[in-house]
Amino acid sequence: MRIRVLFVCHGNICRSTMAEYVMKALVNKSGLSDTFFIDSAATSREEIGNPVHYGTRHKLEEVGIYCGNHKARQMQKHEYDEYDYIIGMDSANMRNLNRMLKNDPEEKLYKFLTFAGSGRDIADPWYTGNFDETYEDIQEGCEGFLDYLEKLGITSVELLPVFAMADEARLTREGRVNYWGYNTIGFFAPENRYWSGRPGTTPVSEFRDMV
């Protein structure tokens, strides 16, 4: 099981596409590619089948990111059940997504720059022509999103169920520890060695609080 992320904008040729490929590059650089499935889509049907906007493509190439033969597509309602995070670029995207997804009953919708501590929109470069500014905002959002996930304890280990503890030297040096996992023999039996040892807790109480 991987962390599934869907970036969404109006047409899926500028902002959400840029976010998809910037995020892929970031998690790849962090050694976390196998932990994520990342895609992008549109709220509208206006650009379906069209390639990445040349401004987005040129900006990504400028920073060494290849966006392949991506074609715009519209998000489908059934995808709500398939993604953990559905991330809109601006207030209009969020309104459209809430309408499409019945007001987000599972609280999967996020406005992108909230992960960077801001409520502002990411301006659409289709109108502004400023792909540099859009890239800077998206880079900020991607870094904030990854930082948010890491603070939840998500590093090289995917979401539960976890079959092994992440204790690689690199992660230990960075202060990242995933405490809990499942015994692969007794699938539903948590292993005591994953207990944090925090005062006032036991392996059983910590596991119950977590799930």
Side-chain angles (χ1 to χ4, degrees), residues 17-110:
T17 308
M18 186 181 288
E20 174 189 346
Y21 288 95
V22 169
M23 190 68 189
K24 284 178 175 177
L26 185 60
V27 299
N28 183 58
K29 183 179 179 180
S30 301
L32 298 171
S33 293
D34 292 341
T35 306
F36 289 85
F37 177 84
I38 302 166
D39 201 357
S40 62
T43 57
S44 77
R45 298 179 53 84
E46 293 176 14
E47 302 287 351
I48 289 178
N50 287 338
V52 177
H53 191 287
Y54 67 86
T56 290
R57 184 177 295 278
H58 289 171
K59 184 60 190 179
L60 290 175
E61 289 175 353
E62 181 183 306
V63 296
I65 298 174
Y66 177 62
C67 59
N69 297 314
H70 179 92
K71 302 292 184 184
R73 69 180 188 87
Q74 185 183 36
M75 182 187 178
Q76 303 301 306
K77 290 181 180 179
H78 68 81
E79 291 183 285
Y80 184 75
D81 296 325
E82 299 170 6
Y83 285 90
D84 304 299
Y85 295 88
I86 300 170
I87 301 174
M89 301 292 119
D90 61 26
S91 298
N93 299 158
M94 298 303 292
R95 286 194 299 271
N96 290 333
L97 285 166
N98 271 293
R99 183 168 57 248
M100 180 190 303
L101 303 173
K102 299 181 180 178
N103 292 316
D104 185 27
E106 296 181 33
E107 299 183 345
K108 296 181 177 185
L109 299 185
Y110 297 83

Side-chain angles (χ1 to χ4, degrees), residues 8 10 22 59 61 68 93 101 106 109-111 114 131 137 146 150 158 161 182 189 195-196 204:
V8 183
H10 182 74
V22 169
K59 184 60 190 179
E61 289 175 353
N93 299 158
L101 303 173
E106 296 181 33
L109 299 185
Y110 297 83
K111 191 176 181 182
T114 59
F131 287 85
D137 282 347
L146 187 58
E150 289 179 340
E158 301 165 11
Y182 287 108
W195 174 44
S196 68
V204 172

Side-chain angles (χ1 to χ4, degrees), residues 89-165:
M89 301 292 119
D90 61 26
S91 298
N93 299 158
M94 298 303 292
R95 286 194 299 271
N96 290 333
L97 285 166
N98 271 293
R99 183 168 57 248
M100 180 190 303
L101 303 173
K102 299 181 180 178
N103 292 316
D104 185 27
E106 296 181 33
E107 299 183 345
K108 296 181 177 185
L109 299 185
Y110 297 83
K111 191 176 181 182
F112 199 11
L113 287 180
T114 59
F115 293 111
S118 170
R120 73 183 190 276
D121 293 347
I122 294 180
D124 190 343
W126 195 92
Y127 296 102
T128 68
N130 193 337
F131 287 85
D132 291 334
E133 180 181 18
T134 296
Y135 171 77
E136 290 170 4
D137 282 347
I138 284 173
Q139 181 72 23
E140 182 182 358
C142 286
E143 290 174 353
F145 181 44
L146 187 58
D147 184 59
Y148 166 82
L149 293 176
E150 289 179 340
K151 286 177 179 176
L152 292 179
I154 299 166
T155 56
S156 64
V157 177
E158 301 165 11
L159 296 176
L160 292 173
V162 178
F163 293 98
M165 188 174 184

